[in-house]
Amino acid sequence: MDPRANAPSSIIEWTEAEKYQNSFLIHEEDNTLEFILNNSVAHGLPSHMPVSAGEGKFLNLLIKCLGVKRVLEVGTLGGYSAIWMAKAIPEDGQLVTLELNDTYAQVAKENIKQAGFEARCQVIVGPAHKTLTNMQPDIPFDLVFIDADKKSYPAYFREAKRLVKKGGVIIVDNVIRYGNVHDKAVNDENTVGIRKLLADLKEDSRKGEIEATTIPTVGEKGFDGFLYAIRK
């Protein structure tokens, strides 16, 4: 039988399907990640914005299999994705995460400390693009994860190319947006930002600078997906 015949068609069904998969594949030895989500909501942070547990685990596994030691994150929120990634980097590794909102940053610092990763995580507060352009690291980053305001994705990605090592990975979240990116009738600034990013990537690929693909996803975040790019 074609599995599409009985495919889930709503976010409620997608969420239940994802939870079922996660019940077999994601296990916490403690309740740290659950605490981070609850503490973030208790401080007024939006509950729908952190990555899903499945994507957090994907980032964690990716860092492990690539041997990543230095991570740059654009968009901290409450530190949920940062903690998933910090759990995978070695003790002598470093994660730098950028956040515009001072309240979010303070909550993230509290959550990161609670999780026990204060020593290997640095939260920088301020406009991400300005912070990125001022960065001149002695050692490039192994992986960059971008999950912030979509209108600025082209600018963030340009800096990420400069800051990641040759052969390094750049992950950009939320690039499918319920399939609306291709619809020219949808012209909000976030969707337009993703279209511009895709156009830039086409040019980067033509120049031999980047190889990339998008990975569509469905689940508790609805129909979305992320971009996976490698700097050549």
Side-chain angles (χ1 to χ4, degrees):
M1 175 185 287
D2 187 338
R4 292 173 294 182
N6 296 310
S9 59
S10 74
I11 191 170
I12 295 174
E13 293 173 293
W14 293 338
T15 299
E16 291 305 310
E18 184 176 11
K19 285 182 178 178
Y20 177 78
Q21 298 282 330
N22 289 347
S23 70
F24 292 93
L25 303 174
I26 300 177
H27 308 286
E28 269 201 274
E29 296 178 357
D30 54 37
N31 296 318
T32 300
L33 291 167
E34 183 179 354
F35 169 85
I36 271 68
L37 291 175
N38 292 336
N39 189 53
S40 297
V41 171
H43 283 83
L45 276 63
S47 61
H48 67 283
M49 290 180 67
V51 300
S52 68
E55 188 173 0
K57 183 65 177 288
F58 168 77
L59 292 168
N60 179 281
L61 293 175
L62 183 65
I63 287 169
K64 288 177 179 176
C65 75
L66 294 177
V68 166
K69 293 183 69 174
R70 286 176 50 76
V71 176
L72 173 63
E73 178 182 53
V74 183
T76 313
L77 197 62
Y80 183 71
S81 53
I83 290 166
W84 265 114
M85 292 187 287
K87 287 163 71 76
I89 61 177
E91 288 188 11
D92 61 342
Q94 182 187 31
L95 184 146
V96 178
T97 180
L98 314 184
E99 177 55 54
L100 174 64
N101 186 296
D102 185 63
T103 299
Y104 294 179
Q106 294 307 313
V107 174
K109 289 177 182 178
E110 178 182 325
N111 288 338
I112 289 168
K113 183 177 181 179
Q114 175 68 26
F117 297 114
E118 188 178 21
R120 70 184 74 164
C121 293
Q122 179 186 11
V123 181
I124 301 176
V125 184
H129 187 240
K130 182 178 180 181
T131 303
L132 290 168
T133 56
N134 288 334
M135 280 185 166
Q136 302 290 336
D138 294 329
I139 303 172
F141 292 95
D142 303 309
L143 181 143
V144 181
F145 177 53
I146 302 173
D147 185 12
D149 59 304
K150 313 323 174 202
K151 67 181 185 296
S152 300
Y153 271 10
Y156 296 156
F157 194 89
R158 281 195 299 273
E159 294 303 320
K161 286 190 301 179
R162 180 179 64 84
L163 295 166
V164 76
K165 71 179 185 180
K166 186 175 182 179
V169 173
I170 305 172
I171 305 288
V172 186
D173 204 10
N174 308 126
V175 297
I176 303 285
R177 299 182 65 77
Y178 281 88
N180 288 327
V181 176
H182 78 284
D183 187 348
K184 296 302 175 62
V186 180
N187 287 303
D188 63 276
E189 61 183 8
N190 291 322
T191 302
V192 171
I194 293 170
R195 285 191 197 121
K196 179 64 168 62
L197 171 63
L198 293 171
D200 290 350
L201 281 163
K202 183 177 182 179
E203 184 66 15
D204 289 344
S205 178
R206 187 188 66 79
K207 294 177 181 177
E209 297 176 355
I210 292 287
E211 281 193 89
T213 189
T214 53
I215 312 294
T217 61
V218 293
E220 65 179 84
K221 303 298 181 181
F223 175 35
D224 207 339
F226 59 90
L227 179 125
Y228 189 113
I230 297 175
R231 180 192 164 197
K232 295 178 72 177

